[in-house]
Amino acid sequence: MTTPPLALAPSLQHEARHAATGEPAWMRALLIGAALAFIALFLVLPLIFVFVAAFGQGISYYVKALLDPDALAAVRLTLLAAAISVPMNCVFGVAAAWAIAKFDFPGKSVLITFIDLPFSVSPVIAGLLYVLVFGAQGWLGPWLDDHNIKIIFAVPGIVLATVFVTFPFIARELIPLMQAQGRNEEEAARVLGASGWQTFTRVTLPNIKWGLLYGVILCNARAMGEFGAVSVVSGHIRGQTNTIPLQVEILYNDYDFTGAFAVASLHTFLALITLGLKTWAERHNAELNSPEVAA
């Protein structure tokens, strides 16, 4: 009977890993220091500067800038666009990922290419495409005008532009996850008599819920922060078609720097909340997929 090898102590395991990689201690310190310096210089300091500049004229001016009717309208429109576009992309993302990962069909590679299209097309060009189709001089412009339907320079156009730029996030998060899980559980459920909807709700959805949440968080962050495509289709109508990023641009161009940074700080705060939710979802997903939990 052979004796199993003795497990190394944690400190010896730590030393063994460093010995295996072969890099000297000064190199590790240099790389870590360079990374921390880069983060501090290009990420942390700008964020601090946003909040410092936002309170540059005192709390009363900060509150006044946030309670301005145009700023409140921008906040409402931003949340509305996100509230509409994220669920739409959630439905599409789950359906597309399920079809791509669980089934084989003609045109599968074409569908994957179209999902990645917003990553390669500039948001400004996407906005111009919508103007070309739905604008007053566009393909459908005369028909829309005859039926008193307004898309460009209105909320529907902003929602369409937001849907386009956030199109890939949920699908791209779920496709590799579903492919890694395989089809065995779904096929077993179907053999046992489950319907397609029962298979999805009781087998597929529980397995992807944390990946889906992660994709929704990323999609929501992108929806609230979109500028290029929304800027093209919005028309910059104050109090009506300006989202938070557009409102910041208008205040900055009007030389109301403190007001611009005040509204920007609100957007930054929403981004930090999104980052916190993203980190929480990543940590929870990592814990569920850890070897100890799997065992």
Side-chain angles (χ1 to χ4, degrees):
M1 180 177 180
T2 59
T3 303
L6 295 176
L8 293 175
S11 59
L12 296 178
Q13 292 177 354
H14 183 72
E15 294 177 0
R17 282 196 298 269
H18 287 309
T21 55
E23 79 278 5
W26 66 267
M27 178 62 72
R28 295 195 301 271
L30 179 62
L31 293 176
I32 294 173
L36 293 177
F38 184 90
I39 292 174
L41 182 61
F42 293 102
L43 295 179
V44 178
L45 286 180
L47 288 178
I48 295 175
F49 178 77
V50 168
F51 287 97
V52 170
F55 290 95
Q57 297 188 28
I59 296 179
S60 60
Y61 191 91
Y62 177 82
V63 175
K64 179 182 176 181
L66 292 183
L67 295 181
D68 181 78
D70 289 347
L72 293 177
V75 173
R76 287 193 295 268
L77 181 57
T78 301
L79 296 178
L80 176 63
I84 297 175
S85 60
V86 172
M88 291 177 63
N89 279 326
C90 183
V91 173
F92 168 79
V94 172
W98 195 18
I100 291 172
K102 306 299 182 180
F103 303 99
D104 295 318
F105 54 90
K108 185 175 180 178
S109 59
V110 176
L111 177 58
I112 296 175
T113 301
F114 278 124
I115 291 175
D116 292 336
L117 186 63
F119 284 140
S120 57
V121 175
S122 168
V124 175
I125 295 177
L128 290 175
L129 291 176
Y130 282 115
V131 173
L132 177 63
V133 176
F134 301 109
Q137 307 300 323
W139 298 339
L140 301 179
W143 183 88
L144 293 173
D145 186 62
D146 292 339
H147 292 79
N148 198 26
I149 300 175
K150 196 169 182 61
I151 294 181
I152 301 301
F153 305 155
V155 174
I158 294 173
V159 172
L160 286 175
T162 306
V163 168
F164 180 88
V165 298
T166 58
F167 194 64
F169 285 91
I170 295 178
R172 264 301 168 195
E173 184 65 30
L174 293 180
I175 289 173
L177 177 62
M178 288 187 175
Q179 287 176 335
Q181 292 173 351
R183 311 177 186 178
N184 293 337
E185 293 185 12
E186 282 81 3
E187 292 174 351
R190 295 304 299 271
V191 169
L192 293 175
S195 64
W197 179 248
Q198 289 175 328
T199 301
F200 173 76
T201 56
R202 298 183 182 182
V203 179
T204 305
L205 188 59
N207 289 335
I208 65 170
K209 59 182 179 181
W210 289 107
L212 176 60
L213 177 61
Y214 183 63
V216 168
I217 292 172
L218 292 179
C219 183
N220 182 70
R222 185 71 174 87
M224 291 193 298
E226 173 54 28
F227 178 85
V230 171
S231 178
V232 174
V233 302
S234 70
H236 294 269
I237 304 174
R238 295 186 182 227
Q240 297 183 33
T241 62
N242 280 334
T243 58
I244 294 178
L246 300 184
Q247 180 68 13
V248 172
E249 181 196 30
I250 286 179
L251 292 174
Y252 191 85
N253 290 336
D254 288 343
Y255 299 100
D256 185 4
F257 301 125
T258 303
F261 280 111
V263 179
S265 70
L266 175 61
H267 196 273
T268 303
F269 180 71
L270 294 175
L272 292 176
I273 293 177
T274 303
L275 179 62
L277 292 173
K278 170 181 170 291
T279 303
W280 172 76
E282 283 180 332
R283 183 176 302 173
H284 199 286
N285 193 33
E287 291 176 355
L288 290 179
N289 294 328
S290 64
E292 292 81 2
V293 175

